Amino acid sequence: MQAQKRAYRQRRKDPSCDACRERKVKCDATETTSCSECSSRNVKCQFTKETNRRMSSIKQVQDLEKQIAQVKRENTHLRSMLNVREGQMDIENEAPQQMPLQLPEIGSNPKRKGRPPPPQDLSRVRSNIRNFGRGIFKPPAPYRQVGSQAHFNPPRPDLPPKAISDHLLGSYYAAVHMLIPILHWPTFEQEYEAVYKVGSLHGVPPVWSSLFFSVLAVGVLFSSDVSIHRPHKGKEYIEISRMLIDTWNDEFVIDHARSAILVSIFLTEINLKSAAWTWLASAVRISQDIGLHNETGPWPMIEGEMRRRVWWGIYVWDRHMSLELGRPLLIEDADCDVSLPAAIDDHYIHDAGMMVPNGVSPLTNFILPIIHVVRAVSQLIKTLKSPIISPSTLATFDTHFSACMASFPPSCQLTAQEPLDPRMLAPVCHLMNARLILHRHNLTTSCPPEVRGIAIEQCIRAALDSTNLFARAMASFTPSNPSIPPFGPTANAMTCTHIWRCTLFLLFGGHFDAALTCIRASSSIATLRDVNVACGRHLAFFIGVLIEKRRAGCLIGSPGYRGERELDEELMAYVSGDLQAGTENSWVWTGSETGMNIAGSAVGGKVGISPTLMGGPEGTTVLTDLEARDWGGWERVEYLVGVLAREQGGYPQALYPQPGSGSRGSGGGGAGAGPKNQERSRGNERMAITNII
């Protein structure tokens, strides 16, 4: 061992620089740095002998390892700075890269698919294929012969009283037909009048009868007549519609698709969202089965245009539900090449052509502006799969949404001052909701604090803009003008959830005036929408948490929330709302109980009867009767806002510009027509919160 040790020590002589060799001290020089001895004496560290310039292999490896480690640290630091700037924090590049955005231009038609040209007259071939291919495959939908459904002859229900049906058709027209005109209204009215002239549905195809009752059911939900027993009458009508459909049918017509999508809309409005999702899937598959997703023809003028409108109506609803529920899309853009609907009301579409009288506006529905918005949803949903959305991507979407907003009528613009017809609010909510959901994505824990802070600011800004629209819509109804309906009955489920999302962010940022405007909008909807009750219950809980946090010294829930050093993760989870409803972007469920384990633990809460359409008084809503009442109603929510405002030490001046100020900020009261009215509105809002305190 001694011999081996001496041999090892003799072999391992580290070379020294000239100065250290002279002084006979240990030299710690490396290939790239001077030794400490030469550095302290401020002399040049050099090696004059060839043997001294050769470093031992061990020292070379050590030096290389140090250099590699240093380069890695610098590289990691630079890449992290770049990722923060661009919003992509995955240093190991494990996450999918964001592809360049390809948002469709406003008004552009989908790219037409190329089809092989026929070599010659093939009429004989077509006849043989129809004959001998039967039972093996069907010809494409436009060239398919649909047989009669004589085998399906369900009992026909009695017609409702004509006055009630007239009212419900008007209600449906204002609430749904203005958004997605899937019916050729003059044709439907003729068929409707013919049925009532006969006084019976006998002799009418069952699928038309099903469509008729689904129209009535949706009309019930948007009726402002207190004598209409809603929603029970609507549930009765939608059940009749379902019974008039042959669920085992293998040959479909366009009315099957219309009826299915209206059932989906009805179920959404009564808050049976999973059931609505499955009926939407039926509508999509039926429409694809009959070829609505492809541009074919030639067709008669009315039939060709209505095929486009039914397809685009289903397309809009697919995009809406996917974005609202955080679910995958059912329709791929690459699969359809249907032209956009004509910019003309169906009243002016005839088989002889499209004819608009002089001096008449050709278009009063909102299908085209809504299509411009929802055509970007497929790219938006792909973007939401990324851990962080970069500032450049956010700017691209914001620019596109601004262009979409310009396609809406002037009264819908954010800079408008006059009262807004509440029936126009739902179309604009498609855009405002998409904008809020886009920026809300960067609240996830995948984002650094500064990115999450920017996301909160952008969400508050979007909420303020939306509040401006809510205030103007509520100010439009006056008893002296009965042609404009009140705000509440015209609001659909999407409007309710959008108001709720806006209220969360406004309360988080201490914008109490705007939050009260949203709360009063929700209060006017009241129990007309089941989801609105659930939103009120959640807001009461959220405000209670904010009050507790404020009393503990937290700045969130006041205008000074930006001074909070660290984001409160509990409040971030609550303000993110239904961002926690998906598996990809939620973060609160990690480590939670799953499946059967939830029922055996105390954290799951009490779960009542599973909701269904015809489940009796206690089985048709998600909330139990006790849960629907335990939050105290909207008056208590307003009171809690006052308590929260008092916790921050007194109510400050107006927090944002009122409607009509020319700013994109939103207001809490009705729109005025001049500085005096604006000051009066601002004073009224301050008085409102003061009275609550």
Side-chain angles (χ1 to χ4, degrees):
M1 289 295 295
Q2 293 296 329
Q4 291 179 1
K5 187 174 182 180
R6 279 196 300 272
Y8 174 76
R9 292 180 63 184
Q10 289 175 359
R11 184 175 66 250
R12 195 170 165 258
K13 286 185 178 180
D14 293 338
S16 301
C17 67
D18 294 346
C20 290
R21 288 173 64 84
E22 270 186 58
R23 298 171 62 84
K24 295 184 179 180
V25 297
K26 185 177 181 180
C27 181
D28 55 2
T30 67
E31 288 282 356
T32 57
T33 60
S34 300
C35 67
S36 56
E37 183 71 19
C38 292
S39 298
S40 62
R41 298 175 60 199
N42 198 21
V43 299
K44 185 176 181 181
C45 186
Q46 60 183 357
F47 298 81
T48 57
K49 292 186 178 181
E50 185 68 23
T51 54
N52 288 344
R53 281 198 293 268
R54 291 198 303 267
M55 301 291 289
S56 68
S57 59
I58 296 177
K59 196 164 188 108
Q60 286 182 354
V61 171
Q62 292 174 344
D63 290 340
L64 289 173
E65 287 176 346
K66 292 179 181 178
Q67 294 175 34
I68 291 172
Q70 182 178 359
V71 170
K72 282 184 176 180
R73 286 194 300 270
E74 293 176 353
N75 189 31
T76 300
H77 177 66
L78 292 173
R79 291 179 67 180
S80 63
M81 292 177 60
L82 180 63
N83 288 335
V84 169
R85 186 179 304 164
E86 290 300 323
Q88 297 177 351
M89 293 299 296
D90 195 341
I91 298 174
E92 300 298 331
N93 290 328
E94 294 177 356
Q97 296 294 322
Q98 293 184 12
M99 300 298 293
L101 286 178
Q102 296 179 348
L103 300 178
E105 295 184 8
I106 305 298
S108 63
N109 284 305
K111 185 178 180 180
R112 190 66 56 85
K113 298 177 183 178
R115 293 177 175 84
Q120 56 184 353
D121 182 18
L122 299 177
S123 57
R124 178 171 173 270
V125 175
R126 288 194 290 268
S127 177
N128 288 332
I129 289 177
R130 281 196 176 99
N131 185 17
F132 297 102
R134 188 179 298 117
I136 305 174
F137 63 91
K138 295 180 179 180
Y143 317 106
R144 192 180 303 162
Q145 294 173 305
V146 180
S148 65
Q149 297 183 348
H151 59 279
F152 181 67
N153 190 24
R156 303 300 196 273
D158 295 332
L159 289 170
K162 183 70 160 50
I164 292 179
S165 296
D166 288 343
H167 169 75
L168 295 180
L169 289 188
S171 175
Y172 169 87
Y173 186 93
V176 178
H177 191 78
M178 297 294 290
L179 275 63
I180 47 176
I182 61 175
L183 299 173
H184 185 250
W185 201 253
T187 301
F188 184 76
E189 277 189 323
Q190 290 176 6
E191 296 167 341
Y192 164 73
E193 294 294 343
V195 165
Y196 270 89
K197 186 176 182 180
V198 174
S200 171
L201 288 169
H202 291 284
V204 178
V207 65
W208 188 93
S209 302
S210 172
L211 173 63
F212 170 64
F213 276 97
S214 63
V215 169
L216 294 182
V218 176
V220 167
L221 296 183
F222 292 97
S223 171
S224 57
D225 189 346
V226 294
S227 65
I228 301 295
H229 299 288
R230 55 162 315 281
H232 306 294
K233 204 63 179 177
K235 295 177 181 180
E236 179 182 321
Y237 288 154
I238 210 71
E239 176 65 11
I240 294 174
S241 173
R242 184 191 66 83
M243 294 177 64
L244 290 169
I245 289 290
D246 182 6
T247 54
W248 308 113
N249 176 48
D250 195 50
E251 290 184 337
F252 298 100
V253 295
I254 195 170
D255 280 348
H256 284 103
R258 287 169 169 151
S259 183
I261 194 62
L262 289 180
V263 172
S264 177
I265 292 173
F266 180 88
L267 293 171
T268 299
E269 295 302 324
I270 65 171
N271 210 27
L272 299 180
K273 297 177 182 178
S274 293
W277 177 253
T278 58
W279 276 90
L280 168 63
S282 296
V284 170
R285 298 312 177 212
I286 291 172
S287 63
Q288 291 172 333
D289 185 78
I290 60 179
L292 298 186
H293 61 300
N294 289 327
E295 187 70 35
T296 55
W299 299 93
M301 180 63 70
I302 294 178
E303 185 177 2
E305 180 63 21
M306 294 317 300
R307 286 176 64 90
R308 295 188 190 97
R309 295 191 178 206
V310 172
W311 170 255
W312 282 110
I314 294 173
Y315 180 96
V316 166
W317 198 247
D318 173 47
R319 266 50 188 166
H320 158 65
M321 291 207 70
S322 294
L323 201 59
E324 189 75 5
L325 304 181
R327 306 277 176 84
L329 295 171
L330 296 173
I331 299 173
E332 289 288 341
D333 284 320
D335 295 334
C336 53
D337 63 346
V338 182
S339 300
L340 296 178
I344 183 173
D345 278 344
D346 42 328
H347 297 278
Y348 310 125
I349 302 175
H350 313 277
D351 277 333
M354 299 184 182
M355 296 170 286
V356 182
N358 293 330
V360 177
S361 175
L363 184 66
T364 58
N365 64 60
F366 289 88
I367 184 65
L368 283 175
I370 294 175
I371 288 174
H372 298 330
V373 175
V374 300
R375 286 181 71 188
V377 168
S378 59
Q379 287 292 332
L380 175 56
I381 289 179
K382 292 178 182 177
T383 302
L384 295 178
K385 295 181 182 298
S386 301
I388 303 177
I389 304 178
S390 67
S392 59
T393 301
L394 293 172
T396 301
F397 273 109
D398 283 334
T399 301
H400 180 76
F401 288 150
S402 297
C404 291
M405 177 60 84
S407 67
F408 283 89
S411 60
C412 297
Q413 302 303 311
L414 297 176
T415 54
Q417 301 180 14
E418 68 274 10
L420 177 67
D421 189 325
R423 291 168 293 192
M424 294 185 177
L425 184 61
V428 185
C429 276
H430 280 279
L431 189 152
M432 304 304 292
N433 194 48
R435 177 181 161 197
L436 183 66
I437 290 176
L438 166 71
H439 289 283
R440 187 183 66 174
H441 176 79
N442 278 356
L443 295 182
T444 65
T445 52
S446 302
C447 303
E450 56 269 27
V451 173
R452 301 174 86 186
I454 294 173
I456 292 173
E457 295 295 326
Q458 292 297 323
C459 288
I460 292 176
R461 183 177 301 176
L464 290 171
D465 287 343
S466 295
T467 307
N468 184 29
L469 298 172
F470 304 150
R472 291 170 49 212
M474 288 190 293
S476 63
F477 174 73
T478 57
S480 60
N481 187 9
S483 62
I484 298 180
F487 176 81
T490 62
N492 57 19
M494 178 187 65
T495 303
C496 296
T497 53
H498 181 57
I499 294 174
W500 166 68
R501 296 183 188 107
C502 292
T503 310
L504 289 175
F505 284 103
L506 295 172
L507 291 170
F508 185 94
H511 292 267
F512 301 119
D513 282 341
L516 280 175
T517 299
C518 293
I519 291 169
R520 287 163 185 161
S522 298
S523 178
S524 66
I525 301 170
T527 59
L528 293 176
R529 301 288 172 264
D530 288 345
V531 71
N532 193 56
V533 178
C535 290
R537 183 170 181 264
H538 182 273
L539 287 175
F541 158 76
F542 181 64
I543 300 173
V545 174
L546 286 177
I547 292 173
E548 291 179 1
K549 296 286 186 178
R550 291 288 296 127
R551 290 174 176 173
C554 179
L555 296 177
I556 295 176
S558 72
Y561 72 96
R562 297 178 186 86
E564 194 72 29
R565 292 185 177 181
E566 294 184 1
L567 294 173
D568 188 303
E569 289 300 337
E570 181 184 4
L571 291 178
M572 290 294 288
Y574 295 153
V575 79
S576 67
D578 51 350
L579 183 62
Q580 305 300 330
T583 55
E584 293 184 346
N585 297 317
S586 62
W587 61 89
V588 303
W589 306 112
T590 303
S592 172
E593 297 81 359
T594 58
M596 298 299 295
N597 293 331
I598 301 177
S601 65
V603 298
K606 183 179 179 181
V607 179
I609 303 173
S610 179
T612 183
L613 180 69
M614 307 299 288
E618 297 182 357
T620 58
T621 58
V622 177
L623 297 180
T624 65
D625 289 343
L626 178 61
E627 291 171 336
R629 297 191 308 266
D630 63 3
W631 55 285
W634 291 104
E635 294 81 2
R636 180 171 178 269
V637 173
E638 285 197 39
Y639 167 76
L640 291 176
V641 173
V643 175
L644 178 61
R646 183 175 57 195
E647 289 300 327
Q648 58 110 10
Y651 188 65
Q653 61 183 356
L655 300 173
Y656 63 95
Q658 299 294 319
S661 64
S663 169
R664 291 188 59 176
S666 58
K676 293 183 178 179
N677 286 336
Q678 294 172 23
E679 290 299 325
R680 188 181 300 113
S681 175
R682 189 175 294 112
N684 288 341
E685 287 301 328
R686 194 175 300 125
M687 283 296 295
I689 187 68
T690 304
N691 291 339
I692 291 175
I693 294 174

